[in-house]
Amino acid sequence: MQDLSAPRTIVIAGGGSAGWMTAAACAHLLPAHLYRVALIESDAIGTVGVGEATIPQIRNFNQALGLDEDAFLRATGGTFKLGIEFVGWGAPGERYLHAFGDVGRDSALHAFHHLWLRARAGGDVRPLGDYALNDLAARAARMQRGAARTARILPEMPYAFHFDAALYARMLRRFVEARGVMRHEGRIVRVERAGESGDVTALLLEGERRIAGDLFVDATGFRSLLLGETLGVGFEEWTRWLPCDRALAVPSARTGPLLPYTRATAHDAGWQWRIPLQHRTGNGVVYSSAHWSDDAAADHLLANLDGAAEADPRPIRFTTGKRARMWAHNVVALGLAAGFMEPLESTSLHLVQSTIARLLKLLPGAAAGDAVRDAFNAQADEEWTRIRDFLILHYHANARDGDFWRACRDAALPDTLAAKLALWREEAGVVRAGEELFTDVAWIQVLIGQGVIPRRWHPLADAPSQAEMAEYLDLIHQLSAREVAQMPDHAAFVAAHCAARAGAR
């Protein structure tokens, strides 16, 4: 009979955002008399730490920890994020926003975009983003929280954050250590395993220190020390669809207006990000080494900064893909140890968050059996695969010249994405698979934003007269525009609620 009163030990190998987010969730949500949490981290091992843009689900994680939002933003130099602007992905110079939240207002039987497509075919319609509250607010650099002020028909505006990932990890470390989590400093030099089961039993650190545990979380980054190196779990490579394999990251001085959105600008061999924080701007280029040299990438990055560079560009090499299993034996991998999804849609920290939630939901009382691990791995596989497809869409649906972009456009698609695109092109249909992360509206914004226009729309969108349709579309736009007009400026909103103290970093 299992002794439920004996506390079990969860050992987290690695710090950074992934490790400290895991420690924070376990320390705050698991009963202290049932679970002990230990984290191993070496100051000599750096973290990638470029994940500064998020999606709205991060708010759920912070709220679950009881973190005050304004205090969190002050501590991390954070700003608000209403969406992502994509520049030059359809064709050079074109731009659109993947804005969080709704676009327009759906009818009982068909989505708003069907009516918009009908109006577009008639040649008299505003851009799709003009019917989205978040899109209009982002472009006007305005921000508010809570219910709409001017019309109850409008939804509350969803938002995420830009923040300094290193400062976030530092804040979570303070949060965790105040709750009794033990941090062990040092490199892991050996992994002990049980002879019969093959489970990990302890991690050996420099100085002959031994950290034993029952469940191990691998947050060791690209090395994947526990799941990959020790347990030999293979890696599924996705470079045939997502060919970028390198990045350079550099901070620059903050200049210009404080925009409430991330920007992803396509270039000859990939794309460049821009993430506005209170104290600086985060920048980087993601590129294919088969099409650009490191020097060419660095030259492009430094020539396209808004402000002066505050450091030398930091190189990052990666292979897009994931581990074949993310839970094997008594080891669960997350963050870069589980796989790498390039940051085009700001999913890095979300994948950490969703892995933590999945682990806590399926947390075994004793040693995990195959059923638990299989359920965990199946859910993880579905989540990663669907996000992968969404990223591939951006590359596939391009109208740019050049070898890199032609190769992306011509690459054979995964069956799951091919089926999704076929339904869209045929009937403007989007079907969300299971609990996949990105909503129908997200897919629609990218598809239309990059010029993938379907042949038909839902027949019920033909029901209103031309005048009724025009009046309805104009009303949706005017209601959203009026709401945005009364919002405060984003920079003023940050200054009023969550300005970081000078020198606090």
Side-chain angles (χ1 to χ4, degrees), residues 474-486:
D474 187 61
L475 175 63
I476 293 293
H477 170 71
Q478 292 300 330
L479 287 175
S480 296
R482 184 177 67 181
E483 179 71 13
V484 170
Q486 58 79 45

Side-chain angles (χ1 to χ4, degrees), residues 147-202:
R149 277 46 163 187
T150 63
R152 284 182 294 178
I153 193 175
L154 293 173
E156 183 173 321
M157 194 165 66
Y159 59 89
F161 310 109
H162 307 114
F163 57 81
D164 187 312
L167 294 178
Y168 185 51
R170 191 182 305 170
M171 183 193 72
L172 291 179
R173 176 177 172 178
R174 293 193 297 268
F175 176 91
V176 161
E177 291 181 334
R179 285 157 177 78
V181 171
M182 181 67 69
R183 176 187 182 273
H184 301 273
E185 163 64 33
R187 291 178 180 268
I188 300 169
V189 296
R190 193 165 78 252
V191 179
E192 284 188 1
R193 299 178 67 182
E196 184 174 341
S197 68
D199 285 355
V200 173
T201 55

Side-chain angles (χ1 to χ4, degrees), residues 157-362:
M157 194 165 66
Y159 59 89
F161 310 109
H162 307 114
F163 57 81
D164 187 312
L167 294 178
Y168 185 51
R170 191 182 305 170
M171 183 193 72
L172 291 179
R173 176 177 172 178
R174 293 193 297 268
F175 176 91
V176 161
E177 291 181 334
R179 285 157 177 78
V181 171
M182 181 67 69
R183 176 187 182 273
H184 301 273
E185 163 64 33
R187 291 178 180 268
I188 300 169
V189 296
R190 193 165 78 252
V191 179
E192 284 188 1
R193 299 178 67 182
E196 184 174 341
S197 68
D199 285 355
V200 173
T201 55
L203 305 180
L204 281 298
L205 310 186
E206 298 166 314
E208 299 184 356
R209 291 170 294 156
R210 183 178 185 272
I211 312 299
D214 301 290
L215 179 68
F216 292 80
V217 175
D218 189 345
T220 60
F222 287 126
R223 184 182 178 188
S224 192
L225 172 62
L226 305 186
L227 191 74
E229 287 191 14
T230 300
L231 298 183
V233 174
F235 188 84
E236 296 179 5
E237 186 176 324
W238 291 339
T239 52
R240 62 189 180 279
W241 299 306
L242 296 166
C244 291
D245 58 355
R246 294 188 186 180
L248 291 171
V250 66
S252 66
R254 179 190 151 191
T255 61
L258 192 63
L259 300 176
Y261 56 89
T262 308
R263 178 176 292 148
T265 303
H267 58 63
D268 289 347
W271 60 280
Q272 178 166 334
W273 76 75
R274 181 186 184 278
I275 301 172
L277 309 182
Q278 291 187 48
H279 54 297
R280 61 175 170 82
T281 300
N283 310 275
V285 287
V286 176
Y287 60 102
S288 162
S289 62
H291 296 84
W292 257 12
S293 68
D294 295 342
D295 288 343
D299 289 345
H300 181 90
L301 173 61
L302 295 174
N304 288 276
L305 301 179
D306 293 340
E310 295 185 337
D312 293 328
R314 183 157 57 94
I316 304 165
R317 297 191 178 194
F318 58 85
T319 300
T320 301
K322 69 173 186 64
R323 292 288 159 186
R325 290 168 291 147
M326 296 183 192
W327 188 340
H329 292 275
N330 61 336
V331 173
V332 176
L334 46 65
L336 298 176
F340 184 82
M341 200 83 75
E342 65 168 82
L344 184 59
E345 282 282 353
S346 307
T347 53
S348 298
L349 290 183
H350 172 75
L351 286 167
V352 173
Q353 174 184 341
S354 64
T355 302
I356 294 169
R358 190 175 299 119
L359 172 61
L360 294 181
K361 184 178 291 187
L362 292 171

Side-chain angles (χ1 to χ4, degrees), residues 55-68:
I55 59 177
Q57 286 85 341
I58 190 68
R59 295 175 59 204
N60 299 333
F61 184 81
N62 286 349
Q63 289 168 5
L65 298 183
L67 299 180
D68 177 82

Side-chain angles (χ1 to χ4, degrees), residues 346-426:
S346 307
T347 53
S348 298
L349 290 183
H350 172 75
L351 286 167
V352 173
Q353 174 184 341
S354 64
T355 302
I356 294 169
R358 190 175 299 119
L359 172 61
L360 294 181
K361 184 178 291 187
L362 292 171
L363 193 67
D370 289 340
V372 168
R373 285 190 293 263
D374 289 348
F376 181 97
N377 288 325
Q379 291 174 18
D381 185 68
E382 177 75 6
E383 178 179 44
W384 279 69
T385 298
R386 296 296 177 173
I387 293 174
R388 176 205 66 188
D389 286 358
F390 192 57
L391 298 188
I392 295 170
L393 170 64
H394 296 67
Y395 285 96
H396 171 74
N398 81 82
R400 297 179 64 91
D401 292 327
D403 292 344
F404 172 82
W405 291 102
R406 280 192 293 272
C408 291
R409 196 161 53 242
D410 295 342
L413 298 176
D415 291 343
T416 45
L417 178 56
K420 201 152 199 157
L421 281 172
L423 178 61
W424 170 259
R425 289 189 169 107
E426 187 173 314

